[in-house]
Amino acid sequence: MTQRSLWLRAGGFAAMALLLTLLGAWLLLGRGRPAIQTDLLAMLPATERNPLAEVAAQRLAHANGDRVILLVANADDEHAKAAARELGQMLAKGKVFASVTAELPPFDLQQFVTPYLVHRFTLLTQADRQALAQPGYDPPQALALRLNEPFVTGIGTRLQDDPFGWLQHWLEQQPWSRSPLLPEDNLLTAHRDDGSYVLVTATLDGSSYDDAVQHRALNALDQAERAIEHDHPGTRVLRTGALFYAAAARSGAERDVHRVGLISTFGIALLLLIVFRSPGPLLLAFLSTAIGIIAATTVSVLVFGQIYLLTLVFGAALLGEAVDYSIQYLTARANAGDAWEPRRGLRQVRPALLLALGTSLLGYALLGLVPFPALRQMACFAMVGMAVACLSVFLLLPALLQRPAKPLSAAAVRVASWLQRVIAPRLSGQRGVTLAVLALLLAAPGWWQLHHDDDVHLLISQPAALVAQERQIRDITGLGNGTQFYLVQGDNQEQVLQREEALEQRLQALVDKDKLQGWLGLAGMVPSLRRQQANQALIAPLFAQPDRMRQWLHGAGFRDADIDRFIQAWPGTPLRLQDWLNTAVATPFRYLWMEGNAQHGPASLVLPQGDASSDLLQQAAKDLPGVALVDKASGVSELFGRYRRYASLWLLAAILLIVPVFGLRYGWRHVPRVLAPPVLGIGLTLAVLGYLHHPLTLFHWMALMLVLGVGANYAVFLREGEPHVTHRPGAMYASVLLSAITALLSFGLLAWSSMPALEDFGLTLLLGIGFTALLVPASTTLNFSSARSTRR
């Protein structure tokens, strides 16, 4: 390889890096849509066999995703209402929100009643159906009860329109009638012992996961809240909505990126300066790593469209592993002294770098097999970043490192040499066997205490303050955002409604036993045509003789004109679902209906309300055709558990795949010695996690997979490099320790991440890499030349 070819390869690689940088900048900033994905659902894997169930889960989750719910509270009713009006006006002026609703437009509550009058004879409650079905049903007594019912302050029918109260009873069971929020002074208000609560809602002008939308909306809300709290002392504002959770997740990720990125960058920079005693190697190491991370970011966004929060923080930590390749080349240069020649140095480190890259890619490739979008993106990010960082050592650094360098820091080499002399003899021979048995005895109790927790809610922690506010808003208003729902499918609308009615009978039984708070479903608002016809059939005998009906009503004191109108209204018309969906009252509930298409028939969603267990809800749907419980959180947790159980097999498979590679390179007798450090490091890490009572998750096992890859890298670096530094014992182990410390400064910092998943990841890598780095001298306790002769 000539000098000219070195520069040509370096120039080609630099041009490629520049193109990737420009492409990445456009993908991140030039497309006019957010590149950072803060939507948790987008990171979760598909869990339902029925594709429609996945669509329904996404639909339900985003039904109110761009809506902000605010509850203005004050001990004084007038102050609460005045503050709510002021808050609504301030938010509306800012033009940040597409719509803001505080004061309701003037309307008559009868507007909720009038559309149903024409259907009054087809809409009956279960209690009225049972009463009408009794042989002893007494119409005059029913009229008397109706006349003596308490005055209705909310939505109610007029006596002359509904003399028996059938429609009134049905309306009282509708969601808008059961809500604790009542219209007062054109404001939706709820009263508690501690004061009044007034509802204000706003719809974002964009997605709640858009960074720009988040900033505008949060700034507007904060300013408005400060203003009303100043103008109306004692006022407080409760808030909930996807906006706040997405902003909190993004803020936590940004803090993690800054903390991990800055601390690891400065720490690694300081270490490189101390060990290599020159800023040149520092800049080149960071250049190589930066190119790898830029390439990884660009390819990830290109492949997946966006980059997840988990990947963003993980990418900041990748710095500590990607820098290993340049460290090994820089170490070879420093150890060569005046005899340095870049092409010879490249030939020297090539086997170690290729072996190390291969084991790392193997670990990340297995990580990418998990059907979890976030993990797959992390695997893609790591594989591209590591490969490009390694490629930069082959193509870029030889052209830039022509002159010899200063030797490694003498202090660092002395410390590494001393550690190697202390550790290596104790890990070989009879003493090594004794220590291994002792370590096994110490580790066994820790392994015994290991347990697992696959709850998906551990993926990303939700701020306690937001959770508490959401719980309080749900308690006061009855508004809920449960993730469990029933998917009811059928061949047509009528079949779906009939199947939903069968489900609701079982749900009502749970309500009667106080095992369920209630449910929300369309069949309760729009009965099936079969149910409506059955209702008409129950009422029909009362209208069989119009004169008798006239006599009952006249005896109850109704006027003749009202009697005539009521009798002439019989039999009315059935309420059809499509007509109801087009009404204003149906607007908040339209997301519960899914139209059919060529792939599937129509479907509806039924939302259970309360804290019933998944098993109880599953039992309610048992043997009902077309009805399935969809529990996204439970499904993802179950999937995590399944793949967590598989992960130990993957780890064993990875070890078995590495064995023949090391066997061919170092001889089969020496494979156990080379693999011992990472394998023992994994075992000791599991023991410590057991002693800490740290529940294992899928992320712990994925991290252990990386411990195997990284640990194998250290063994390879030490075993391949030591024959070239016989003139300076400890120099190669110093570079291995440098690689390990850089990894600990990046991956280890994830142990303090705000994301529980990355915290698990970081803690496992912190322990695993630490143990492996201390054990790695065991891989070269035999003379390298004898190992080679044995292999021959």
Side-chain angles (χ1 to χ4, degrees):
M1 185 187 302
T2 64
Q3 190 72 18
R4 183 171 179 274
S5 65
L6 277 182
W7 283 107
L8 285 175
R9 291 167 59 181
F13 183 83
M16 179 201 73
L18 178 61
L19 289 176
L20 282 174
T21 302
L22 294 175
L23 177 60
W26 178 79
L27 290 171
L28 290 172
L29 306 173
R31 297 187 296 169
R33 57 191 176 98
I36 300 176
Q37 178 59 270
T38 57
D39 183 0
L40 296 185
L41 280 179
M43 292 189 278
L44 297 179
T47 58
E48 306 301 326
R49 294 181 180 179
N50 184 351
L52 184 60
E54 284 292 334
V55 175
Q58 296 276 347
R59 179 180 185 140
L60 177 61
H62 294 289
N64 297 317
D66 297 330
R67 186 178 68 163
V68 174
I69 297 177
L70 307 170
L71 210 56
V72 182
N74 196 296
D76 183 83
D77 186 62
E78 291 302 321
H79 278 296
K81 292 176 179 177
R85 288 190 178 94
E86 184 177 334
L87 178 62
Q89 291 167 2
M90 294 184 68
L91 295 180
K93 286 179 182 177
K95 297 183 179 179
V96 174
F97 299 93
S99 65
V100 178
T101 303
E103 290 191 84
L104 303 173
F107 69 95
D108 184 355
L109 288 177
Q110 287 300 118
Q111 293 177 5
F112 283 89
V113 179
T114 303
Y116 293 101
L117 286 176
V118 69
H119 315 296
R120 74 191 87 172
F121 302 116
T122 67
L123 305 175
L124 295 175
T125 64
Q126 181 64 24
D128 283 335
R129 279 197 299 273
Q130 292 175 350
L132 286 165
Q134 297 297 321
Y137 182 75
D138 187 352
Q141 184 181 9
L143 286 170
L145 289 173
R146 167 66 164 154
L147 292 173
N148 289 285
E149 284 180 349
F151 179 72
V152 179
T153 57
I155 300 172
T157 58
R158 300 186 306 172
L159 281 172
Q160 59 267 37
D161 294 329
D162 186 28
F164 292 91
W166 299 322
L167 182 59
Q168 175 64 39
H169 301 157
W170 185 83
L171 289 172
E172 288 173 353
Q173 292 190 353
Q174 300 311 301
W176 53 84
S177 297
R178 299 195 305 268
S179 172
L181 295 166
L182 296 174
E184 292 182 8
D185 301 323
N186 292 334
L187 295 166
L188 286 176
T189 308
H191 296 285
R192 288 293 182 95
D193 294 337
D194 60 344
S196 298
Y197 296 83
V198 185
L199 182 70
V200 178
T201 61
T203 303
L204 294 171
D205 187 15
S207 171
S208 58
Y209 302 102
D210 186 322
D211 187 31
V213 172
Q214 287 178 16
H215 284 302
R216 291 197 303 268
L218 291 174
N219 288 337
L221 283 167
D222 291 340
Q223 292 176 10
E225 287 182 23
R226 286 194 295 268
I228 66 168
E229 288 171 358
H230 176 269
D231 297 341
H232 304 277
T235 298
R236 57 194 177 94
V237 179
L238 305 177
R239 50 167 70 175
T240 190
L243 166 71
F244 307 111
Y245 288 105
R250 179 186 292 272
S251 176
E254 289 175 350
R255 285 195 303 271
D256 289 344
V257 169
H258 294 155
R259 180 169 56 210
V260 174
L262 289 176
I263 295 178
S264 62
T265 299
F266 284 116
I268 292 170
L270 183 61
L271 279 171
L272 292 178
L273 280 174
I274 291 173
V275 174
F276 290 106
R277 301 187 299 158
S278 172
L282 165 66
L283 296 176
L284 290 176
F286 278 160
L287 174 64
S288 172
T289 305
I291 292 173
I293 290 179
I294 289 171
T297 303
T298 301
V299 172
S300 296
V301 177
L302 194 63
V303 172
F304 295 92
Q306 290 176 315
I307 193 162
Y308 303 125
L309 282 176
L310 286 173
T311 309
L312 192 67
V313 183
F314 178 77
L318 188 67
L319 177 68
E321 189 178 358
V323 76
D324 284 354
Y325 303 113
S326 52
I327 284 177
Q328 297 309 308
Y329 190 64
L330 292 168
T331 299
R333 178 188 179 221
N335 290 330
D338 294 336
W340 169 251
E341 202 285 316
R343 288 165 291 227
R344 188 184 307 122
L346 188 60
R347 288 192 296 271
Q348 175 184 322
V349 300
R350 182 184 290 121
L353 294 189
L354 290 178
L355 272 174
L357 178 63
T359 55
S360 295
L361 292 183
L362 175 63
Y364 287 115
L366 290 173
L367 181 67
L369 293 177
V370 182
F372 182 1
L375 286 181
R376 283 184 170 175
Q377 190 181 86
M378 288 166 64
C380 173
F381 188 101
M383 292 174 72
V384 173
M386 305 297 285
V388 173
C390 186
L391 194 62
S392 71
V393 175
F394 292 141
L395 300 181
L396 184 63
L397 295 193
L400 301 178
L401 295 173
Q402 298 286 324
R403 294 181 298 175
K406 297 177 182 178
L408 295 181
S409 165
V413 173
R414 281 197 302 270
V415 170
S417 179
W418 175 79
L419 280 174
Q420 199 168 7
R421 289 197 307 271
V422 170
I423 295 171
R426 287 167 173 77
L427 297 178
S428 61
Q430 186 61 40
R431 187 180 296 180
V433 173
T434 304
L435 286 176
V437 172
L438 180 61
L440 178 63
L441 292 175
L442 290 174
W447 296 338
W448 183 260
Q449 297 178 67
L450 287 172
H451 62 287
H452 302 92
D453 191 345
D454 303 308
D455 188 356
V456 67
H457 296 100
L458 299 177
L459 178 63
I460 293 183
S461 62
Q462 297 178 334
L466 283 179
V467 174
Q469 289 186 66
E470 181 182 355
R471 187 180 297 113
Q472 190 173 2
I473 289 173
R474 186 186 302 117
D475 180 53
I476 294 171
T477 66
L479 300 174
N481 295 312
T483 58
Q484 298 170 317
F485 66 93
Y486 292 100
L487 179 67
V488 184
Q489 295 179 263
D491 296 330
N492 50 57
Q493 291 182 356
E494 175 66 10
Q495 189 177 59
V496 171
L497 292 175
Q498 289 179 20
R499 290 176 170 179
E500 188 175 320
E501 287 168 347
L503 170 65
E504 291 183 353
Q505 286 183 355
R506 296 189 179 183
L507 296 180
Q508 183 60 48
L510 295 179
V511 172
D512 295 340
K513 297 176 183 177
D514 292 328
K515 294 182 177 180
L516 188 68
Q517 182 180 334
W519 74 87
L520 181 65
L522 290 177
M525 294 177 268
V526 188
S528 66
L529 293 179
R530 184 177 67 179
R531 171 67 58 83
Q532 294 186 60
Q533 290 167 1
N535 291 342
Q536 274 186 328
L538 289 172
I539 297 175
L542 304 183
F543 284 90
Q545 299 179 28
D547 291 339
R548 185 176 56 175
M549 173 63 74
R550 189 182 301 276
Q551 181 181 354
W552 290 334
L553 294 173
H554 194 273
F558 287 89
R559 294 181 301 180
D560 290 339
D562 293 331
I563 294 172
D564 290 339
R565 279 196 297 271
F566 181 70
I567 293 176
Q568 290 169 6
W570 169 262
T573 60
L575 176 60
R576 299 186 180 277
L577 177 63
Q578 206 59 51
D579 296 335
W580 180 83
L581 289 171
N582 293 328
T583 63
V585 74
T587 301
F589 310 105
R590 286 181 187 140
Y591 71 96
L592 297 175
W593 182 254
M594 302 179 69
E595 294 289 350
N597 55 36
Q599 285 74 38
H600 61 81
S604 68
L605 311 183
V606 178
L607 313 183
Q609 298 172 333
D611 297 322
S613 67
S614 182
D615 291 339
L616 186 65
L617 295 176
Q618 189 71 52
Q619 188 65 28
K622 187 178 180 180
D623 299 327
L624 288 180
V627 180
L629 176 68
V630 179
D631 188 343
K632 185 68 177 179
S634 177
V636 175
S637 298
E638 182 182 347
L639 188 67
F640 277 8
R642 188 186 317 147
Y643 280 95
R644 187 253 310 151
R645 290 187 291 272
Y646 293 158
S648 58
L649 297 178
W650 296 341
L651 190 59
L652 178 60
I655 294 173
L656 294 177
L657 287 173
I658 292 174
V659 166
V661 177
F662 283 177
L664 292 174
R665 177 66 181 171
Y666 304 120
W668 296 99
R669 285 197 305 146
H670 302 294
V671 170
R673 186 178 298 281
V674 182
L675 274 180
V679 171
L680 290 175
I682 289 171
L684 293 174
T685 299
L686 287 172
V688 173
L689 292 174
Y691 281 122
L692 293 175
H693 302 289
H694 208 281
L696 294 185
T697 68
L698 175 63
F699 294 92
H700 288 96
W701 287 101
M702 295 300 100
L704 291 174
M705 191 79 69
L706 300 187
V707 169
L708 173 65
V710 172
N713 288 356
Y714 297 159
V716 167
F717 291 154
L718 189 60
R719 196 171 184 93
E720 293 284 345
E722 279 206 326
H724 302 284
V725 291
T726 53
H727 61 288
R728 202 175 187 205
M732 200 62 224
Y733 188 45
S735 72
V736 169
L737 287 177
L738 179 61
S739 294
I741 296 173
T742 59
L744 292 175
L745 278 172
S746 50
F747 283 122
L749 287 173
L750 292 179
W752 288 272
S753 171
S754 61
M755 299 181 186
L758 289 176
E759 180 185 351
D760 295 342
F761 208 83
L763 177 61
T764 308
L765 286 167
L766 180 66
L767 294 170
I769 291 174
F771 284 130
T772 303
L774 292 176
L775 293 169
V776 81
S779 64
T780 58
T781 52
L782 286 181
N783 181 273
F784 185 84
S785 59
S786 65
R788 290 211 170 199
S789 62
T790 302
R791 189 182 69 223
R792 293 193 190 98

